[in-house]
Amino acid sequence: MSNRSATETILGYFYQFDYTIFKILNLANVDDSIIVEGIEDVDIKTIDEEIATQCKYYAKTEYNHSIIAKPIRLMLNHFKQVKEGEKPQVQYYLYGYYKSGQDKLLVPLTVEFLKRHFLTYTSGKVKHEHHIELGLDNRDLENFIQKLTININAVSYVDQYEKIIDLLKSLFNCSSFQAEHYFYNNALKVIKELATQNKLEDRRISKSQFLDRIDNKKLLFNEWFVVLKGKKQFLANLRKEYFTSLNASPFERFFLIEIDERNYSRSDLKELLFLISRKWSNLSKRASTPFCPYVYIHNIPAEELIKLKSELYREGFKLSDGFDFAGASFSSESICETANYNNQIKLKIINQIDYLDLVLKETTRTKEVYQFYIEKSYYTNTHQEVKHIEIQVDEIIDIKEII
């Protein structure tokens, strides 16, 4: 598959995911539900009706009847099953975006047009008339047409995406950044998880359930969202939102960093610590309110933490960890000593997560906590006055790009 066709395929998936998200957000009642990839790509169930929708995106392709013929035949298969069973009737909706050729489709459909262009086909040099093979007559096909809606003038990928972001901004009263990176990001994750469930009922979700699941203000490293935005752009967006021009404010900033022992590199971690210290310290003799950042490193073995601090010390990088002498207990007062030109404390390392709340309670300046985690968050903030940002990352080097 060429890069171009691969990109078109990926956009096709996103278009379908976005359509599903859009339909959920537009459900009239919170108890109305959808099934992801049920009878068709999206099944919408309300109190009054059930609609099976097939959704396609062909931005580079001219419309031809053959493109939608198979989906229509599959819908007809289901129509026959419902007709012969006791299940409630279903409305069928075929929704697609095409580069051109929309004028080829004549609506409303006639039985003859349906049979000629969608139900009659050749496979293996054998002519098939699908309606005859199903044992359906013209009256059945007329009934099917009454339940079938074809829309090949769907909105573009960009227009649909923008409609979703606007809906999320309105529903959650949030900024464009939050709508994209929190709620839409979460929505993609939820739809993907539903689509991979084996049981039909496990792929069903109501509007209220969906809204509850996406209402999560954690920045998730969702691989689908990263593919959509591009990893470089995704990380750049986070930097722009949270880490631009922060150095001017003498806040108490806490960077909580999780390491993955399988991919751990001391040199990478040291480089990150140097960067954090350089960007969020001001030890100038002229600074009226000097400051430096705090760092907690999650999952680092005690022995490795000692080696890391020893290397930093040997390299003339002065730090504080709240222990004043061998055998001393942790002192929140000690670690909160103001960093300045004279003592040259460039970084404050919190050895254990249990100490973090003690330090937050001790400090009196404006406090901000930036928690970077790999799979799940490991610190819950209970201090209402503390700004707490949680960002999921794929690997530690991503943090360098973000900050």
Side-chain angles (χ1 to χ4, degrees):
M1 183 183 291
S2 68
N3 287 338
R4 178 178 175 181
S5 60
T7 301
E8 290 177 15
T9 300
I10 291 171
L11 276 181
Y13 285 128
F14 277 114
Y15 190 80
Q16 183 174 314
F17 287 163
D18 285 357
Y19 178 78
T20 306
I21 294 168
F22 183 75
K23 297 306 289 186
I24 296 174
L25 296 179
N26 277 286
L27 288 172
N29 302 301
V30 293
D31 293 329
D32 291 344
S33 63
I34 63 103
I35 298 177
V36 180
E37 295 193 15
I39 301 168
E40 296 297 340
D41 294 330
V42 183
D43 293 347
I44 302 169
K45 188 174 181 59
T46 69
I47 296 174
D48 303 317
E49 63 180 354
E50 183 173 353
I51 304 173
T53 303
Q54 180 76 223
C55 175
K56 300 300 177 187
Y57 186 72
Y58 295 100
K60 306 294 183 181
T61 304
E62 180 182 356
Y63 169 80
N64 284 299
H65 302 314
S66 59
I67 295 177
I68 65 171
K70 186 174 180 180
I72 289 178
R73 292 196 292 268
L74 293 174
M75 289 177 171
L76 189 62
N77 289 349
H78 184 266
F79 170 82
K80 182 189 176 184
Q81 293 172 8
V82 172
K83 174 178 176 288
E84 295 177 348
E86 297 180 355
K87 295 181 179 180
Q89 294 293 306
V90 174
Q91 298 293 319
Y92 303 96
Y93 186 39
L94 199 148
Y95 181 78
Y97 180 87
Y98 303 87
K99 177 183 178 182
S100 59
Q102 287 87 348
D103 57 336
K104 297 176 185 178
L105 180 65
L106 302 177
V107 291
L109 290 181
T110 65
V111 169
E112 290 306 314
F113 192 95
L114 175 69
K115 291 194 290 189
R116 178 181 177 185
H117 294 289
F118 301 127
L119 305 183
T120 303
Y121 66 101
T122 301
S123 177
K125 298 183 179 180
V126 177
K127 181 180 179 182
H128 294 267
E129 293 178 285
H130 197 64
H131 53 293
I132 294 176
E133 294 172 358
L134 292 179
L136 299 176
D137 57 26
N138 284 356
R139 184 181 299 176
D140 294 323
L141 296 182
E142 188 65 52
N143 191 15
F144 175 68
I145 288 173
Q146 294 303 313
K147 300 180 182 304
L148 174 66
T149 301
I150 301 175
N151 180 0
I152 57 172
N153 292 284
V155 300
S156 69
Y157 169 82
V158 172
D159 287 345
Q160 180 173 254
Y161 183 79
E162 290 178 349
K163 288 176 184 292
I164 291 170
I165 299 304
D166 286 341
L167 278 170
L168 292 171
K169 286 168 63 177
S170 175
L171 283 167
F172 293 102
N173 190 26
C174 64
S175 67
S176 295
F177 176 88
Q178 292 172 330
E180 274 196 296
H181 292 78
Y182 289 139
F183 304 112
Y184 175 75
N185 187 354
N186 293 336
L188 270 184
K189 187 173 186 292
V190 170
I191 296 301
K192 181 191 170 223
E193 289 174 352
L194 290 172
T196 58
Q197 300 302 311
N198 292 323
K199 294 181 181 179
L200 188 70
E201 276 306 306
D202 291 340
R203 298 198 299 273
R204 182 190 297 276
I205 191 167
S206 68
K207 181 177 181 178
S208 62
Q209 291 169 332
F210 183 75
L211 292 177
D212 285 343
R213 288 182 63 178
I214 70 173
D215 189 5
N216 180 0
K217 284 193 175 182
K218 291 182 181 179
L219 283 163
L220 302 178
F221 194 88
N222 173 9
E223 64 271 25
W224 280 94
F225 186 72
V226 174
V227 167
L228 172 66
K229 304 298 289 185
K231 186 172 183 179
K232 186 175 181 180
Q233 184 61 53
F234 171 68
L235 299 178
N237 289 350
L238 300 188
R239 181 172 63 251
K240 181 179 179 181
E241 181 71 11
Y242 295 115
F243 300 102
T244 302
S245 301
L246 290 179
N247 204 34
S249 304
F251 296 162
E252 302 282 19
R253 295 185 182 85
F254 296 77
F255 293 85
L256 316 185
I257 300 165
E258 180 176 15
I259 64 169
D260 185 346
E261 294 183 65
R262 297 167 298 180
N263 300 312
Y264 173 70
S265 164
R266 189 186 302 165
S267 62
D268 285 343
L269 180 56
K270 283 173 57 181
E271 192 174 337
L272 177 59
L273 296 181
F274 290 148
L275 177 62
I276 291 172
S277 175
R278 185 172 69 251
K279 292 194 68 175
W280 287 284
S281 295
N282 186 349
L283 306 180
S284 169
K285 197 172 185 177
R286 297 186 300 274
S288 59
T289 312
F291 60 94
C292 80
Y294 296 78
V295 170
Y296 163 70
I297 306 166
H298 192 62
N299 277 343
I300 189 169
E303 298 82 1
E304 173 57 25
L305 182 57
I306 292 172
K307 292 177 182 178
L308 172 67
K309 290 192 287 187
S310 297
E311 280 194 16
L312 292 172
Y313 183 77
R314 286 197 301 269
E315 294 174 18
F317 189 83
K318 191 171 181 181
L319 54 87
S320 171
D321 64 0
F323 290 86
D324 294 326
F325 53 87
S329 299
F330 173 75
S331 169
S332 56
E333 291 183 4
S334 175
I335 199 172
C336 290
E337 177 189 357
T338 301
N340 56 42
Y341 175 78
N342 294 318
N343 60 35
Q344 285 296 302
I345 297 174
K346 298 179 180 178
L347 195 67
K348 299 178 179 182
I349 295 183
I350 299 173
N351 295 344
Q352 298 179 25
I353 193 70
D354 295 342
Y355 300 155
L356 179 55
D357 283 326
L358 297 175
V359 178
L360 287 170
K361 187 176 180 179
E362 182 72 28
T363 56
T364 57
R365 294 179 184 171
T366 300
K367 296 176 274 283
E368 298 179 346
V369 174
Y370 296 92
Q371 179 181 182
F372 297 92
Y373 66 98
I374 296 173
E375 291 187 359
K376 61 180 181 179
S377 61
Y378 44 85
Y379 173 71
T380 302
N381 174 45
T382 58
H383 305 267
Q384 293 185 353
E385 77 281 6
V386 176
K387 176 181 178 180
H388 184 198
I389 302 297
E390 299 178 71
I391 302 175
Q392 187 177 21
V393 293
D394 190 36
E395 51 189 338
I396 194 171
I397 60 174
D398 293 337
I399 305 174
K400 289 169 56 181
E401 295 298 321
I402 295 171
I403 67 173

